[in-house]
Structure formats: C-alpha cells, structure tokens
Amino acid sequence: LQEHFKGSGAINRVTILCNKFTGHPKGFAYVEFGTTDAVTKAQLLDGSMLHGRPLKVNPKRTNVPGVNRGRGRGRGYGFAPRGRGFRGRGRGAYYSPY
C-alpha cells in the first residue's frame, strides 16, 4: 500500500485490519497522510487496481457529535419496555439455579 500511494505524498501510517480469530486481512485498510493535499491526491487513485483488485479510496469520515445514525433503538433509554420489562427472559415459575 505504501508503494501504491507514495506518489500522493508523505505517509504517516498504514493500518491493515485483520480478523482477530483467523488473522487474515478483512479486505480494507487505513492510510494516514501527512497533509490534506496528499489526501486529495490519493483520492485520484479511487478505482485503481492493486494486486488485481480495485481500490475504493475515501477520505476520513468525521462523526458529528449529537447526530444519531438511526441504527436500532438503543438499550433501555427513551422507550418503554415491552412484555415482562427488565426482569430478563422468562425462566419459568419454578426456576432454581441449583
């Protein structure tokens, strides 16, 4: 990756994410550049081929505080519990752990 992106500018770090169980690469990586100009030049490599695979090059996405992406309903905040409430999943009336 460093060789592929070296024409864009100074590279601070390359991080290749791997599966923690198998150790195999997940198929994506992060490349940290020294300047924003290098990021702009790296975006021109979007769609280029590396080892027979097309690359997708995107700039870093920054999270905006207070903006919810709308995935899920959260975990017990802002809505009433349904059914048996927070007593857990029913284990039956005669449950004994021993």
Side-chain angles (χ1 to χ4, degrees):
L1 283 170
Q2 283 183 324
E3 194 67 28
H4 192 77
F5 285 101
K6 73 177 182 182
S8 301
I11 296 174
N12 292 344
R13 178 181 4 191
V14 175
T15 306
I16 300 174
L17 277 75
C18 295
N19 183 311
K20 64 182 175 181
F21 300 111
T22 64
H24 294 114
K26 288 186 173 183
F28 59 96
Y30 298 105
V31 180
E32 182 182 313
F33 293 97
T35 64
T36 55
D37 186 46
V39 174
T40 306
K41 289 180 182 176
Q43 285 180 296
L44 298 175
L45 294 173
D46 186 34
S48 64
M49 300 294 281
L50 178 66
H51 299 293
R53 303 181 115 199
L55 293 180
K56 289 185 181 179
V57 181
N58 299 315
K60 178 183 175 186
R61 180 180 61 84
T62 56
N63 292 330
V64 180
V67 176
N68 188 2
R69 292 180 59 190
R71 298 179 89 185
R73 297 189 325 181
R75 189 94 176 138
Y77 300 103
F79 67 92
R82 288 192 281 195
R84 296 172 52 120
F86 291 112
R87 286 183 277 155
R89 299 185 188 194
R91 293 186 172 134
Y94 303 105
Y95 172 75
S96 175
Y98 300 106

